């Protein structure tokens, strides 16, 4: 029977999700929680969201490190071997991150159609093509500068230790800033208030906070 | 405000990005595909589009 990895927990918490139908493979310091999985089975949006639901259920009970979706193992022994190679590092990460939550802060541009689509409509001439490309590049640079300014506002407003923040500017055409912050549960309400307050001041983006989630962004791979 | 962004699928893409691109990896023996697209390739593309978009354009990824 193949297993799909869901989360890593401390060894003493190995049995925490037995009622969720999860198998545990324990080492001396950490345990891997996994579900039975048919590798011939197709995965789609439902399976992705199901993975998130399972990780969240574990996270609500004990500190955990969420697994990236998609790692399947032939059997328990295969998973045990891989866990043994990373166990010391994973146990250290659990101590550092496991009791913290990830909040996702997204600033999406209100004006979605501002960027010209250079490749869709053929240009009338080479000059027109280059001019359109130049215009697009200027718009993109302006957006990047604006996104950097928004990040500066967020960092100032949230006042979180740099080690607990990750961000990207303009990761997609619709998004100015995608930020992940790591907080304790008792900090969530205050963080939410700060994000809402700042979002109300930013007229060109819509600001949304999601979470609390397990610390996906801060769990280090390999 | 939230309604406007939900229409754009931004929150879903943010979550899917984390599910596919972040989190602990123990290097499984089998890499699952999503909507017929191998995750190795999907991981590079998910930041550009939501799952529905990937499904529609899966053959081009």
């Amino acid at each position: 029977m193949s297993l799909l990895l869901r989360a890593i927990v401390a060894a003493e918490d190995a049995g925490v999700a037995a009622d969720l139908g999860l198998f545990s493979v324990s080492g001396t310091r950490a345990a891997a929680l996994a579900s039975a999985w048919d590798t011939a089975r197709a995965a789609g949006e439902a399976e992705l969201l199901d993975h998130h639901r399972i990780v969240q259920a574990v996270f609500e009970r004990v500190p955990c490190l969420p697994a990236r979706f998609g790692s399947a193992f032939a059997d328990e022994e295969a998973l045990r071997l891989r866990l043994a190679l990373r166990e010391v590092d994973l146990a250290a990460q659990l101590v550092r991150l496991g009791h913290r939550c990830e909040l996702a802060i997204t600033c999406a541009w209100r004006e979605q159609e501002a960027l010209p689509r250079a490749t869709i409509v053929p240009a009338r001439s080479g000059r027109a093509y280059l001019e359109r490309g130049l215009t697009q590049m200027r718009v993109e640079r302006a957006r990047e500068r604006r996104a950097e300014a928004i990040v500066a506002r967020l960092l100032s407003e949230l006042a979180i230790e740099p080690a607990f923040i990750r961000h990207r500017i303009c990761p997609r055409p619709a998004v100015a800033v995608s930020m992940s912050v790591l907080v304790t549960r008792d900090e969530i309400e205050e963080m939410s208030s700060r994000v809402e307050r700042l979002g109300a001041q930013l007229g060109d983006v819509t600001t949304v906070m999601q979470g609390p989630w397990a610390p996906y962004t801060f769990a280090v791979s390999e | 405000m939230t309604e406007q962004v939900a229409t754009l699928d931004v929150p879903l893409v943010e979550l899917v990005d984390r599910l596919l691109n972040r989190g602990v990896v123990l290097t499984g023996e089998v890499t699952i595909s999503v909507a017929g697209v191998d995750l190795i390739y999907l991981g590079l593309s998910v930041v550009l589009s939501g799952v529905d978009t990937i499904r529609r354009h899966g053959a081009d990824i």
Side-chain angles (χ1 to χ4, degrees), chain A residues 66-87:
Chain A
R68 188 176 304 183
F69 181 80
S71 291
F73 297 81
D75 51 33
E76 283 192 26
E77 191 54 28
L79 177 52
R80 190 183 310 282
L81 287 172
R82 297 304 306 185
L83 176 66
L85 293 174
R86 299 279 317 281
E87 193 174 10

Side-chain angles (χ1 to χ4, degrees), chain A residues 2 20 27 30 37 39 50 64 67 69 82 95 105 116 182 194 203 218:
Chain A
S2 295
L20 300 176
W37 184 265
T39 52
D50 197 42
C64 79
F69 181 80
R82 297 304 306 185
V95 170
I105 301 166
L182 200 60
R194 292 183 187 184
F218 299 86

